[in-house]
Amino acid sequence: MENQETNARGTWGSKIAFIFAAAGSAIGLGNIWRFPTQVSQNGGAVFVLVYIIAVALIGLTVMLAELTIGRHAQKNPVGAIEHIKPRSPWKLFGYLGVITGVCILSFYSVAAGWAVGYMVKTASGAFRGEVTGQMTDRIFTEFSADPLQVILLLAIIVGLTTFIISRGVKKGIERWTKILMPILFVLIIFLAIRALTLPGAGKGLVFYLKPDFSKFSGTVVLFALGQAFFSLSLGMGTMITYGSYISKSDNLVSSAGWVTFSDTLIAILAGMIIFPTLAFSGQPGDVGGVGLIYKIFPIIFSQIPGGYIFGTLFFALISVAALTSTISLLEVPVAYLVDEKNWSRTKAALGIGTLAFVLGVPSALSSGGTQIFTKLRIFYWFDFIFGNISLAVGALLICVFVGYVWGVKKALQEVFSGNPRFKLKPFWVFSLKFLSPIAIIIILIFIKTIAG
Ligand code: PHE
């Protein structure tokens, strides 16, 4: 009896720890920066609607599939696939994940560097007094076009990520996220309430929440699906890696559910801040580009007494949220090199960190820093190819691998451990074998037609 009780407590503790770590990976710039940007560029509410459907039907399915592989094999993505299907070309999925991880890390760190830069800017009083859309637009344009500054900020983010991963100080990070993430959540709720009570907020809400179906298109579906994978950290093996730490007695389904729910909630709330504030500043919903949030948040802070303190704290917390995601991006290639190629952790982290930095420089210089990279839209293409396409291909491979290669029966056995009833079983099996792969294939074919 005594024993059982300790056991149950221990398991509960580790489940919460897992949810925090996985939510730390999922919640980041994807929710606060990329989601509002995509909404504004892809028709507003119609994108939000498709996004929520994509998360519920496909994202959740893939999340559970990745966690199931991870817990079953207890390994990094390449090792996990090798464990389940030895000496097969499915290993290629692992390599795809490793490459995608490095490439997402490169441009993601650029955007994370902006958050750090804005923390300093806000603290030093750049946004005191009357803050208008024109002013924030000018400040962001100048800021992101300063080559030395953006490269330095990129180096700071990649450097910190490399340091944390090489030291393996995950425990410390976990402790910090447990404190900082709830603070970020409370701050976001507070800012959303303030934004919703601004004059003109209603117009922003209409753009954000009232679908205009004339804006519906295949492109909207493509970007919404890509965003779902990006935001949930799916399609490159992150959740396989994190799943490998879950205990056999934990309920994978509810863990997947919690991570998905909290990630989606934060994204939706971020939009509740951005679009009302955008409308308040008198601009239409589809302005802004990649700098959208950096142009809008300073406006809302200026509407709160002592706002620049809030602003500084907010950008600091976003930087932390971004770091818990960059850590998970770097962890996939590093775990691969350590497990499969016998590299030391430090060497792997330094090597991949340096590579991500070098790859990130063109992205950093493509918001005005140099003409050539700006014209080539390097940042945009890295984001599109690795943040959308690669993850979608990876998610498709996961569905086919679990649904057909490993087999639903064996996968289900793993899910049943910790959740013997699994009420969603018929839906999961259907989505894994048919709905998700077919939807992803149709969308990938569609890209060819828009690109060609
Ligand atoms: N999900 C993270 C975010 O939203 C980004 C990420 C993508 C992390 C893919 C890991 C893997 O910020």
Side-chain angles (χ1 to χ4, degrees):
M1 202 48 209
E2 182 62 36
N3 213 346
Q4 234 177 24
E5 234 177 61
T6 349
N7 243 341
R9 241 196 343 254
T11 312
W12 184 81
S14 76
K15 179 173 171 182
I16 291 295
F18 158 75
I19 290 177
F20 265 98
S25 165
I27 297 169
L29 294 176
N31 314 58
I32 293 157
W33 160 72
R34 203 175 186 265
F35 178 73
T37 310
Q38 299 261 337
V39 172
S40 93
Q41 289 170 347
N42 291 294
V46 103
F47 178 91
V48 180
L49 183 67
V50 178
Y51 175 77
I52 291 176
I53 295 173
V55 166
L57 298 185
I58 301 175
L60 196 55
T61 304
V62 179
M63 172 81 73
L64 184 55
E66 282 202 27
L67 294 181
T68 307
I69 296 177
R71 189 175 70 176
H72 179 76
Q74 317 258 312
K75 288 213 170 71
N76 72 81
V78 179
I81 303 271
E82 181 67 13
H83 173 87
I84 293 173
K85 193 82 193 162
R87 286 178 299 283
S88 74
W90 283 95
K91 242 188 152 170
L92 288 176
F93 164 76
Y95 297 134
L96 178 71
V98 168
I99 295 167
T100 308
V102 183
C103 293
I104 294 183
L105 180 61
S106 74
F107 74 83
Y108 192 95
S109 300
V110 173
W114 294 342
V116 174
Y118 262 62
M119 173 180 77
V120 177
K121 231 183 209 328
T122 314
S124 64
F127 303 108
R128 296 268 198 116
E130 165 91 356
V131 178
T132 62
Q134 257 174 345
M135 169 183 164
T136 56
D137 198 62
R138 197 196 69 236
I139 291 182
F140 180 78
T141 309
E142 280 169 12
F143 166 81
S144 60
D146 180 340
L148 279 181
Q149 184 164 263
V150 285
I151 290 178
L152 179 71
L153 291 168
L154 165 68
I156 291 176
I157 293 289
V158 177
L160 275 174
T161 309
T162 306
F163 177 73
I164 294 164
I165 286 287
S166 68
R167 298 294 291 270
V169 285
K170 260 201 211 136
K171 279 250 162 67
I173 288 295
E174 255 171 47
R175 211 176 33 229
W176 281 107
T177 33
K178 268 191 195 169
I179 303 166
L180 294 176
M181 288 290 152
I183 300 180
L184 177 65
F185 183 67
V186 172
L187 207 59
I188 287 179
I189 300 254
F190 174 78
L191 290 174
I193 293 172
R194 183 66 193 97
L196 289 170
T197 49
L198 287 173
K203 234 173 103 194
L205 270 191
V206 168
F207 176 81
Y208 184 46
L209 295 178
K210 188 163 179 280
D212 170 358
F213 287 100
S214 70
K215 297 203 172 125
F216 180 84
S217 70
T219 321
V220 168
V221 182
L222 165 69
F223 281 105
L225 188 65
Q227 173 61 19
F229 295 138
F230 187 94
S231 189
L232 295 169
S233 304
L234 296 175
M236 54 161 275
T238 316
M239 290 300 163
I240 296 183
T241 312
Y242 279 64
S244 67
Y245 305 121
I246 308 180
S247 128
K248 289 283 180 198
S249 55
D250 276 348
N251 183 336
L252 288 178
V253 184
S254 69
S255 298
W258 273 110
V259 174
T260 307
F261 174 74
S262 52
D263 185 73
T264 309
L265 183 65
I266 300 275
I268 298 291
L269 284 172
M272 296 274 193
I273 305 171
I274 293 296
F275 294 101
T277 311
L278 193 64
F280 164 75
S281 73
Q283 308 174 70
D286 55 357
V287 293
V290 288
L292 176 70
I293 69 159
Y294 296 100
K295 298 173 190 172
I296 297 305
F297 277 121
I299 300 178
I300 181 92
F301 298 138
S302 74
Q303 295 301 312
I304 299 166
Y308 84 103
I309 299 174
F310 274 105
T312 309
L313 181 64
F314 184 74
F315 283 121
L317 291 170
I318 296 188
S319 308
V320 174
L323 265 181
T324 56
S325 302
T326 53
I327 289 167
S328 72
L329 284 161
L330 185 56
E331 178 64 22
V332 172
V334 167
Y336 161 71
L337 288 172
V338 170
D339 292 354
E340 311 292 318
K341 301 281 169 208
N342 287 322
W343 287 35
S344 76
R345 224 182 144 71
T346 313
K347 183 178 157 197
L350 272 176
I352 300 285
T354 309
L355 182 62
F357 171 74
V358 172
L359 283 173
V361 168
S363 291
L365 296 178
S366 67
S367 297
T370 58
Q371 246 181 359
I372 174 85
F373 293 135
T374 308
K375 223 167 148 196
L376 288 172
R377 299 170 74 209
I378 299 291
F379 187 105
Y380 171 83
W381 285 109
F382 259 72
D383 178 278
F384 180 68
I385 294 168
F386 298 101
N388 278 329
I389 311 302
S390 247
L391 295 181
V393 171
L396 170 65
L397 294 177
I398 287 286
C399 292
V400 176
F401 183 77
V402 175
Y404 298 94
V405 179
W406 183 23
V408 170
K409 263 213 187 107
K410 288 190 195 137
L412 277 172
Q413 269 171 14
E414 187 61 49
V415 181
F416 285 144
S417 157
N419 184 2
R421 300 237 299 281
F422 190 22
K423 286 202 196 107
L424 283 174
K425 178 181 130 186
F427 163 74
W428 188 58
V429 173
F430 171 72
S431 178
L432 191 65
K433 294 188 78 161
F434 305 106
L435 179 69
S436 301
I438 291 172
I440 299 171
I441 289 173
I442 292 176
I443 286 158
L444 288 176
I445 291 172
F446 185 82
I447 304 179
K448 270 189 78 188
T449 43
I450 38 176

